[in-house]
Amino acid sequence: MKNFALIGAAGYIAPRHLKAIKETGNNLVVAVDVNDSVGIMDSHFPEAEFFTEFEEFSGFVEDLKQSGHKLDYVAICSPNYLHLPHMKFALQNGIDVICEKPLVLNTADLDALTRYENEYGAKVNSILQLRLHPSIIALREKVQAAPADKVFDVDLTYLTSRGKWYLKSWKGFDEKSGGVATNIGVHFYDMLHFIFGKITHNEVHYRDEKTSSGFLKYERANVRWFLSIDANHLPENAVQGEKLTYRSIDIEGEELEFSGGFTDLHTQSYERILAGQGYGVEDNRAAIETVDVMRKAEIVRNPENPHPLLQ
Ligand code: NAD
Ligand code: HP7
């Protein structure tokens, strides 16, 4: 049984980590969050220690280490801009990391992580759950079975509506979340790289606080993409879940809708990590570089390859 700490226990995604720790037969020793709405912990680990001050948390973790009970993993569910310092804290204590996406905001931060891994002998693992989605795996196999010189024409539409709260939270501030293409898009840029190979071209056609669109070339695909958290863009056949989403990949007229099937992917991610097969720093590089470039890119006016929703 492995011993865990959790950073960001009061947030939206933390319950999926609590569930994954429990379902993989492991133990939560301690959690920290600046917000104390963490009653959810009782459903999984009623005995766990909890702190609202990072200093108290870090003292506790260091004491455990000195008493010969070093933690095995620190799971990180804090806001994106805090991933890097929180990962450094774990690595410096020789503890492996399981960190939410985006692993870091800037490409250069990946090199810092590698330095810390080497210096302290601990490993970074990330949550790239779309790589475990059955529809995505099937598509990857289909692409790999096609003639090697086949380049697919792809339209990717990723619509996931959010209320007014989103822009008022840390997610609405570029310096904290990286903006919508980083915070939400990073999943599908990683997925596109996973399916279609190396990225060779990256242009941005539109960018505001709720919506972003552009054109990407990979070894095996040309992709017109459109991402929005604005409900006004949703089509009539959007999937009605807790709210409306529409996640679709159109490959030369054949549509793959992949709005469902997300629920257990965190537990599967943990299973892989615990088996030593986690996605590490370098697995994240392509998508982190993609969003890093997108944040700084000049907008292409009158593009040759606009996504249909932009026309
Ligand atoms: P959230 O705002 O709901 O939760 C973040 C939590 O971190 C909050 O409870 C906040 O109080 C806490 N926090 C802030 N500063 C802290 C600090 N210094 N120390 C300790 N805790 C601190 O956000 P969320 O949606 O849960 O997102 C958390 C992370 O998970 C982000 O990196 C996000 O990108 C990622 N995420 C991933 C998925 C996915 O599909 N894999 C889904 C949602 C969020
Ligand atoms: N929701 C909340 O209640 N709180 C939140 O903070 C977020 C959502 P989905 P996920 O918005 O930051 C996606 O669209 O897939 C509500 C991204 N993941 O299915 O869980 C929401 O309003 C993730 O990287 O959200 O998360 C819905 O009612 C990104 O950080 C419901 O939860 C996150 O949005 C489900 O909404 C975000 C993927 O796209 C795979």
Side-chain angles (χ1 to χ4, degrees), residues 196-203 216-222:
F196 298 113
K198 214 172 141 208
I199 182 168
T200 57
H201 183 74
N202 182 352
E203 61 186 52
L216 288 161
K217 281 186 176 214
Y218 294 85
E219 284 168 292
R220 305 292 307 277
N222 295 327

Side-chain angles (χ1 to χ4, degrees), residues 8-11 32-38 50-52:
V32 60
D33 197 300
V34 292
N35 182 328
D36 59 14
S37 297
V38 291
F50 173 72
F51 299 105
T52 55

Side-chain angles (χ1 to χ4, degrees), residues 161-190:
S161 56
R162 294 284 180 271
K164 294 195 192 333
W165 65 268
Y166 184 97
L167 293 180
K168 292 184 182 169
S169 76
W170 63 267
K171 298 183 182 188
F173 294 87
D174 282 10
E175 67 278 18
K176 294 192 171 178
S177 72
V180 76
T182 300
N183 190 45
I184 295 182
V186 72
H187 282 289
F188 70 73
Y189 307 123
D190 177 69

Side-chain angles (χ1 to χ4, degrees), residues 117-137:
E117 283 188 324
N118 293 337
E119 169 116 21
Y120 299 104
K123 182 179 186 311
V124 170
N125 300 282
S126 60
I127 301 286
L128 296 175
Q129 85 260 34
L130 289 198
R131 293 190 184 201
L132 308 181
H133 194 293
S135 307
I136 305 305
I137 292 169

